[in-house]
Amino acid sequence: MDRHTLSVLVENKPGVLTRIAGMFARRNYNIHSLAVGPTDDARVSRLTLVVGAEAVQLEQIVKQLNKLVHVLKIVELEADESVVREMQLVKVAAEGAHRSQIIELADVFRAKIVDVDHDSITIEAAGDPSKLEAMVNLLEPYGIREMVRSGTIALARGSKSITDGSKVRMQRVV
């Protein structure tokens, strides 16, 4: 099953996320990642959904999302034509000699040490999901105590924008 990143503009109103999540639940579609945030227009929010789906199932997801009244526009962001980022916090056991090795490892990944305790270090990293996975794999031998990861956020590369050509539907939010 391939992973697809969908960028979805929705009206910034209460209950919109519930409707979208409900559609996924009713259709038994799985969401791998979900991030929601404001856009440059306060009336519009942007959802970035990562779903695992074959082509036919992805087409159904897009059709079902388009039926939801508060959905303004949906764009699939191709991996090679978009900038994709995630953020993660990792708390690692860090005792004795391992402490300096963990700090060096964080430096290699351009991550930040955001908390230090007598037996642990918390590392903040942001970047491409594969980079974050690589860092976690290298930290695992030291003992990961806790980890949290944000949903994927993504934008199309270049001057192209999700709002290009969507003025008619965007007028609904006025």
Side-chain angles (χ1 to χ4, degrees):
M1 198 171 287
D2 297 328
R3 286 193 178 200
H4 303 274
T5 302
L6 298 175
S7 188
V8 183
L9 292 181
V10 298
E11 293 178 35
N12 186 8
K13 293 185 174 178
V16 172
L17 184 57
T18 301
R19 289 185 186 97
I20 291 171
M23 185 280 292
F24 274 81
R26 282 190 305 279
R27 304 283 179 176
N28 202 27
Y29 300 142
N30 189 30
I31 298 173
H32 287 283
S33 164
L34 170 67
V36 183
T39 64
D40 55 327
D41 184 339
R43 301 165 302 167
V44 177
S45 293
R46 184 183 191 127
L47 278 74
T48 305
L49 291 159
V50 178
V51 297
E54 300 299 333
V56 173
Q57 191 178 27
L58 179 65
E59 185 180 331
Q60 287 301 311
I61 290 170
V62 171
K63 284 180 179 175
Q64 294 300 319
L65 285 171
N66 270 319
K67 288 181 182 177
L68 298 175
V69 71
H70 298 295
V71 172
L72 304 171
K73 187 165 185 181
I74 305 165
V75 172
E76 181 181 4
L77 297 170
E78 300 293 335
D80 58 342
E81 297 175 8
S82 59
V83 178
V84 178
R85 295 292 182 263
E86 289 185 9
M87 180 181 172
Q88 75 180 12
L89 296 171
V90 184
K91 186 179 292 184
V92 185
E95 296 176 1
H98 293 156
R99 185 176 291 266
S100 61
Q101 294 171 355
I102 293 168
I103 291 170
E104 286 177 28
L105 191 64
D107 286 343
V108 168
F109 285 91
R110 297 183 188 150
K112 288 194 264 180
I113 307 296
V114 292
D115 188 55
V116 177
D117 197 12
H118 63 280
D119 63 349
S120 68
I121 293 175
T122 301
I123 302 169
E124 172 191 308
D128 184 85
S130 62
K131 169 189 161 185
L132 300 181
E133 287 175 22
M135 187 180 87
V136 168
N137 288 338
L138 292 173
L139 289 172
E140 279 180 341
Y142 298 103
I144 293 176
R145 293 193 171 161
E146 193 171 10
M147 185 177 93
V148 64
R149 200 159 162 174
S150 73
T152 298
I153 57 171
L155 287 175
R157 291 189 182 274
S159 60
K160 211 170 163 184
S161 168
I162 191 171
T163 55
D164 290 347
S166 62
K167 292 185 176 171
V168 173
R169 202 152 184 206
M170 296 292 283
Q171 290 173 348
R172 284 190 359 200
V173 297
V174 176

